[in-house]
Amino acid sequence: MSQAAAAHAVVEPAETPLTPDSWGKLGMWIFLAGDAVGFGTLLAAYGIMRATSGDWPDPYEVLGINLTAAMTFLLICSSVTMVKALEWLGKGDRERCKKFLFYTALGGAIFVSLQAYEWTHLIHRGLLINGNPFGAALFGTSFFLVTGFHGLHVTGGVIYLLAVLSSVARRPPAASYNMVEIVGLYWHFVDLVWIMVFTFMYLL
Amino acid sequence: MAGDHKHPNYMAIFWTLAILTVVELGVVFLPFGKVINGTLLCALAVAKAAIVAAYFMHLRFEARTLGLIAVTPLAIATLLIFVLMPDHFAVNHQTADKKPAAAAPAKH
């Protein structure tokens, strides 16, 4: 592949860096841009509903942030294991790459479990998708919708990571570099969105 | 292709993100009121998101096309805020006219 890349560079000197190698990356970026608009719309709707409501509860008091802060930290850690996986694969170390991909998927799985725990706790306290004993009912609706949409992304990401992991195990390192880089883009995006969700839905 | 990326110091980026998260948690307890605290929190969130995109997602080292794709949702989101603003004013106007009592019991 490096020979092909070198030949390519001679023909087209740095004019079009989006070589066929990175078409998948381009596709993932376009998908993520669309997904970002989806999340942006949800958060903007949340902001409008909150701004126009007279009895919106203080999220900090209803939700609590200790567990969620730990979940935020966990996602940041899983982003680091993701870049480490790619770094090791770039150095040709497939075993370490597999290990770090597994840690990343594990971090995501723990995140979703903690979210399930948090939801259960809140539902027991009466916060529902159509009801909220602490104030505006739309608070419950938007909370479960936005965190649920993000949680689905994490769940999908864990499945995606495990699929890539099994593929990495069956190919030479150079052949799976692109694939690992692309799953990394998705995973970091999920982390990035959580940074926004954490700020807008828990801290503000 | 493999290995031709510049790898930044990921641990330094990790610590920056971790410290910014702790700072965010601290900002919640600052006594500056909702507006200043909110502005600080938004600034911190945007900074963290930018760090993730630039270094973890390698945007700093990528072709400009990908950067343009990444910036597009930001432009759309900004537009969305302006599009939604009339709704906000309309609803606030109505509620102020019709049910002033509803806003009173809210604890602020």
Side-chain angles (χ1 to χ4, degrees):
Chain A
M1 187 181 283
S2 58
Q3 283 172 352
H8 203 79
V10 173
V11 182
E12 294 177 8
E15 273 182 351
T16 151
L18 287 173
T19 58
D21 281 337
S22 55
W23 284 351
K25 202 154 73 178
L26 177 67
M28 179 52 89
W29 268 107
I30 293 172
F31 166 72
L32 293 181
D35 217 14
V37 174
F39 275 109
T41 310
L42 282 175
L43 286 176
Y46 173 84
I48 283 294
M49 289 193 293
R50 181 174 179 173
T52 52
S53 161
D55 58 347
W56 202 263
D58 207 344
Y60 175 79
E61 283 169 17
V62 178
L63 305 172
I65 52 171
N66 291 340
L67 178 69
T68 347
M71 285 159 69
T72 307
F73 186 71
L74 183 67
L75 267 199
I76 295 174
C77 290
S78 79
S79 260
V80 175
T81 56
M82 185 66 237
V83 287
K84 283 286 169 197
L86 184 66
E87 197 178 9
W88 281 118
L89 193 67
K91 289 175 184 166
D93 192 335
R94 192 166 66 179
E95 290 312 307
R96 281 210 173 90
C97 170
K98 279 163 57 186
K99 196 169 78 177
F100 277 101
L101 276 178
F102 176 74
Y103 290 157
T104 311
L106 186 67
I110 296 173
F111 180 91
V112 178
S113 313
L114 287 175
Q115 194 170 43
Y117 170 79
E118 184 203 19
W119 276 28
T120 313
H121 181 71
L122 288 170
I123 290 167
H124 278 304
R125 285 178 58 201
L127 187 67
L128 299 171
I129 197 157
N130 58 354
N132 171 19
F134 309 100
L138 279 175
F139 175 78
T141 312
S142 52
F143 171 79
F144 284 115
L145 193 66
V146 176
T147 58
F149 195 48
H150 179 267
L152 276 178
H153 275 78
V154 179
T155 312
V158 170
I159 296 166
Y160 185 9
L161 278 165
L162 292 176
V164 168
L165 173 59
S166 84
S167 187
V168 165
R170 285 182 278 113
R171 295 160 173 231
S176 43
Y177 188 83
N178 249 317
M179 195 173 47
V180 174
E181 189 175 10
I182 292 168
V183 72
L185 285 177
Y186 178 84
W187 193 255
H188 299 311
F189 172 77
V190 169
D191 181 18
L192 190 155
V193 167
W194 180 253
I195 289 171
M196 290 301 180
V197 171
F198 179 57
T199 303
F200 287 113
M201 305 217 53
Y202 288 84
L203 296 180
L204 277 181
Chain B
M1 192 75 190
D4 61 354
H5 264 290
K6 265 182 75 179
H7 284 290
N9 183 351
Y10 290 126
M11 288 323 283
I13 293 157
F14 164 74
W15 285 115
T16 311
L17 288 172
I19 290 166
L20 284 179
T21 306
V22 174
V23 171
E24 269 193 314
L25 295 176
V27 165
V28 175
F29 298 102
L30 285 181
F32 297 146
K34 278 210 172 284
V35 176
I36 294 181
N37 278 9
T39 314
L40 280 173
L41 285 172
C42 287
L44 282 166
V46 170
K48 282 167 71 183
I51 290 171
V52 170
Y55 294 101
F56 283 167
M57 297 172 90
H58 297 134
L59 210 50
R60 259 198 84 175
F61 316 104
E62 289 288 4
R64 184 176 283 180
T65 317
L66 294 187
L68 286 176
I69 294 171
V71 167
T72 312
L74 289 181
I76 295 175
T78 314
L79 205 69
L80 188 67
I81 291 171
F82 285 106
V83 169
L84 285 173
M85 265 183 182
D87 280 15
H88 168 67
F89 292 129
V91 174
N92 269 5
H93 191 69
Q94 276 186 352
T95 45
D97 276 355
K98 285 181 183 166
K99 36 176 185 174
K107 290 159 275 177
H108 278 294

